[in-house]
Amino acid sequence: QVQLVESGGGLVQPGSSLRLSCAGTGFALGDYSIAWFRQAPGKEREGVSCSNAREGGTYYTDSMKGRFTASRDNDKNTVYLQITGLEPEDTAVYYCAAVKRDKRMPIECQRSRERDFDSWGRGTQVTVSS
């Protein structure tokens, strides 16, 4: 059974950096594309990035380019999201989601529907406040 667990969130000051982790169990990370999402209070969930195992490469939502960097360590079965220059507007619950690489998805898989993903983590809270 594919399971994902996010960690690394917390309360940080504006301008700080964080590295979020998404650890997978029950599957080989290299066989899956992994997307990061976030949901701020009172707002819809929005896509951040997609590490696309089918197409290769990592793709970012335009508004996320520059301060967000996703990476993966297949040996540790973990995907990371590095966020720099955190702003109060980045306060949100951050989620990762996995979809098997042979499933046809947009190259920017973070644009896909939630139900298109095979598994979701429960999220990690990031709060940016002074």
Side-chain angles (χ1 to χ4, degrees):
Q1 182 180 3
V2 175
Q3 289 190 325
L4 300 168
V5 178
E6 302 94 337
S7 62
L11 173 62
V12 296
Q13 293 190 340
S16 300
S17 298
L18 273 180
R19 189 177 77 161
L20 308 181
S21 299
C22 169
T25 59
F27 70 107
L29 190 70
D31 292 337
Y32 286 76
S33 295
I34 306 294
W36 282 97
F37 296 84
R38 70 180 186 181
Q39 187 164 19
K43 295 188 177 181
E44 292 187 354
R45 191 172 297 185
E46 62 177 337
V48 176
S49 66
C50 174
S51 298
N52 196 312
R54 179 186 175 96
E55 305 291 341
T58 301
Y59 304 88
Y60 299 90
T61 301
D62 286 345
S63 60
M64 308 296 177
K65 291 178 181 177
R67 297 191 298 115
F68 294 80
T69 305
S71 60
R72 62 164 75 204
D73 185 335
N74 288 343
D75 290 338
K76 293 183 178 180
N77 234 37
T78 301
V79 175
Y80 304 98
L81 182 68
Q82 179 82 28
I83 314 172
T84 60
L86 280 156
E87 304 168 352
E89 293 72 26
D90 295 318
T91 295
V93 179
Y94 285 73
Y95 301 88
C96 58
V99 59
K100 207 162 185 185
R101 62 182 296 164
D102 58 3
K103 186 173 183 178
R104 190 168 294 277
M105 297 279 278
I107 194 168
E108 296 187 22
C109 64
Q110 78 276 18
R111 297 180 181 276
S112 298
R113 298 167 300 185
E114 292 185 17
R115 63 176 181 268
D116 289 335
F117 289 86
D118 298 319
S119 183
W120 285 80
R122 292 188 176 184
T124 185
Q125 175 71 49
V126 173
T127 303
V128 185
S129 175
S130 56

